[in-house]
Amino acid sequence: MSFIDITGLKKAFGPVTVVHDFDLGIEKGEFVSFLGPSGCGKTTILRMIAGFEAASAGRIAIDGREVTRLPPAKRDVGMVFQSYALFPNMTVGENIAFGLRIAKKSAAEIRERVAEMLAIIKLPDLADRYPWQLSGGQQQRVALARAIAVRPQVLLLDEPLSALDAKIRVSLREEIRALQRDLGITTIFVTHDQEEALSMSDRIVVMNEGRAAQVGTPFEVYTWPKNRFVASFVGTLNLLDGVVVDEGRLTLDGREVTVGRGLAGRRAGETVTVALRPEAVTLGATATGLPGTVEAVSFLGAVVRVKVRLDTQVVTLDAFNQTTQRPPEPGTAVRLVFGAEDLLVLGEG
Amino acid sequence: MKRSTLGSWISVAIGAVYFLLPLIATFEFSLRLKRGVYSFEAYRIVLTDPSFQASFLYSVVLALATIVVGAVIVVPTAYWVRLKLPKMRPVVEFVTLLPLVVPAIVIVFGHLRMYNSQSILPLTDSSFGTDLLLTFGYVTLSLPYMYRSVDTALAAIDVATLTEAAESLGASRTATLTRVIFPNIRAGLLSGAFLTFAIVIGEFTFASLLNRPAFGPYLQLVGANRAYEPAALAIIAFVVTWASLGLIQVFGAARKGSK
Ligand SMILES: Nc1ncnc2c1ncn2[C@@H]1O[C@H](COP(=O)(O)OP(=O)(O)O)[C@@H](O)[C@H]1O
Ligand SMILES: [Mg+2]
């Protein structure tokens, strides 16, 4: 059994079911992200784990102990909110000490732990400030310190970086990840930002309409999306219509290409959706590639994004900008080159 | 623009005259107890009158009791309504406004009917019981002010998220209320408290009909029998009320400064 074990979890608000039969096992020390568009039920699942929302059905166990019906205070779960939720009447030090005071730790222990936490979040001199005197990034660090000061078994973060500036967001996500590794605390991180999920997580749960669309490592989820939803939500992607020829080949706009896998069990003549990452395609000079015409070029700095028209379909590709080679002009005839493994045949749903 | 500035100055002046003139006249009159000279003799007489001291002290104690009972009832109620029953808020608000609509004399007759010596709970039988009844009556009277102040203060903080943050750190509902919610609505609670104080100190109807030695009936008694002392008392009552209002301003400003 996993450290966090969620089975058959369901949540309905009146007639509307927002979480359907959700199963997930999380190992001790793992960093798992829930990634999905707004309204897909990420927060609701997190709140059921924290105990703020009652499950309509199903079971949640942490470290072998069922917590499904326990109040939040008894679950040993720390929570970080998007809005920081620091206590405005307390200083930074008092905020961090709150959970320890509730747990009736000795004054010496509290003092020591608060100092330790302030050092961890790199704000050692701000113990006597009030929350309103801090920047958003600092407030969120304090909220993090407050949550982990009591050494909970599980740390839950609900879009903790969404309210922050882009720069701080990136630096703070690295800090959170490093801190989580050091402490070895089992963590669930909710986000709608795929870059955040991909860069931080051990595993990602891609969510769609209250269900887990795919669970896997960032590499797996990005490289082998299970279905159209995951493919289009995680990263940018070409979605092309192909017609099956046999188990190893299909045609794109009438041209035959080789496919590594995924066509087993498909009928010849059936139309399937194939996904192709822009960075997997290169412009080749050889006569072997798929012929097309450059339609548009956008220069993005390190990367040049080129749109190439086959016949009825358009393929977008990303090439690194190279000093020795100018980007192609629109109207140029080109050949598209990609590996048989890069063509992903997508399942339905 | 000049015109409208002039217009507003005129209306301010009219307002000031309307409010201040009687006050100044009363003050001037209160100084004329001694023939031919201005003196504070009327104030001296009033302040040294044992009945004044006793009734004022009685009303202060009652005001404090009213504030404590009111806060203990209103804060958890307003908190709970905001947290769990947001749809009930208009209903609760309407109920708390009722004391402004129902005249005090009606409320006190209701009390007398409910709690007289023939009733199940004969509070009016003992003077302590009557004091209790009076306190609860005052709690009702101050409800609109207390509830409003507390509810406004609650609106300024994110009650739901702060509660969840506290609970996830292991705090019980009581600990959340006393350590997180109470301190964060202190300013609102204080302004409710000062308004309550001002109301209770000058209240006449309840105290008179329940026959308790409060400051309101004392004011009335002196007013009916003396010439200069009532004017002095009126000024004293004004000062007390204004001091309360001033303290609301002070605490309100202190809170804004810290925001
Ligand atoms: N208390 C509630 N009452 C009714 N519907 C709710 C409540 N909380 C969330 N929902 C609905 O549940 C769905 C999932 O919400 P949420 O879990 O917050 O999504 P996410 O965090 O993925 O954006 C949404 O459609 C939302 O409107
Ligand atoms: Mg959410």
Side-chain angles (χ1 to χ4, degrees), chain A residues 140-269:
Chain A
Q140 197 58 294
R141 280 165 209 244
V142 174
L144 188 66
R146 180 180 68 176
I148 57 178
V150 291
R151 310 237 162 102
Q153 285 188 300
V154 176
L155 179 64
L156 307 176
L157 304 107
D158 191 358
E159 311 226 4
L161 307 177
S162 299
L164 301 172
D165 303 341
K167 260 208 181 122
I168 296 170
R169 207 148 63 205
V170 172
S171 66
L172 200 51
R173 80 183 178 211
E174 284 161 10
E175 270 180 53
I176 290 177
R177 178 57 177 168
L179 191 153
Q180 184 270 340
R181 272 212 184 93
D182 289 348
L183 300 177
I185 185 169
T186 313
T187 301
I188 304 179
F189 184 95
V190 162
T191 180
H192 63 260
D193 182 328
Q194 44 132 339
E195 201 182 297
E196 241 167 60
L198 290 170
S199 65
M200 297 175 82
S201 322
D202 292 319
R203 274 194 303 154
I204 297 176
V205 179
V206 185
M207 301 225 8
N208 184 24
E209 293 179 352
R211 291 190 171 84
Q214 184 169 359
V215 183
T217 64
F219 179 79
E220 288 164 356
V221 167
Y222 186 85
T223 318
W224 303 304
K226 255 192 188 164
N227 54 41
R228 216 185 161 101
F229 173 80
V230 178
S232 54
F233 193 76
V234 183
T236 44
L237 200 68
N238 293 292
L239 291 175
L240 305 167
D241 287 333
V243 180
V244 179
V245 176
D246 59 25
E247 277 204 9
R249 288 174 302 165
L250 51 70
T251 56
L252 293 173
D253 281 0
R255 302 278 177 161
E256 207 169 277
V257 291
T258 320
V259 180
R261 56 179 180 164
L263 284 181
R266 302 286 187 153
R267 278 176 293 106

Side-chain angles (χ1 to χ4, degrees), chain A residues 13 16 18-19 36-45 53 158-159 190:
Chain A
F13 290 108
V16 190
V18 298
V19 175
S38 172
C40 69
K42 309 178 295 287
T43 297
T44 306
I45 296 178
E53 210 78 75
D158 191 358
E159 311 226 4
V190 162

Side-chain angles (χ1 to χ4, degrees), chain A residues 47 52 72-73 77 79 81 83 85-90 98-99 101-102 132 146-147 150, chain B residues 157-158 161-162 164-172 175-176 179-180 183-184 257-259:
Chain A
R47 291 171 57 80
F52 301 138
V77 165
M79 181 95 181
F81 302 84
S83 59
L86 294 176
F87 305 127
N89 59 310
M90 298 179 202
F98 184 85
R101 292 235 164 83
I102 294 287
W132 54 270
R146 180 180 68 176
V150 291
Chain B
I157 57 173
D158 185 350
T161 314
L162 289 182
E164 287 176 358
E167 284 182 351
S168 73
L169 291 165
S172 64
T176 305
R179 297 195 191 198
V180 177
N184 280 306
S258 76
K259 263 270 152 171

Side-chain angles (χ1 to χ4, degrees), chain B residues 161-230:
Chain B
T161 314
L162 289 182
T163 301
E164 287 176 358
E167 284 182 351
S168 73
L169 291 165
S172 64
R173 273 273 145 73
T174 322
T176 305
L177 202 55
T178 53
R179 297 195 191 198
V180 177
I181 303 301
F182 251 113
N184 280 306
I185 58 168
R186 209 191 57 212
L189 200 56
L190 279 172
S191 67
F194 290 125
L195 281 170
T196 303
F197 188 83
I199 292 167
V200 172
I201 285 296
E203 206 283 333
F204 170 77
T205 317
F206 273 48
S208 171
L209 285 167
L210 289 174
N211 197 24
R212 298 306 298 151
F215 191 55
Y218 171 79
L219 279 181
Q220 192 275 338
L221 187 75
V222 174
N225 298 305
R226 305 293 195 88
Y228 300 100
E229 289 87 340

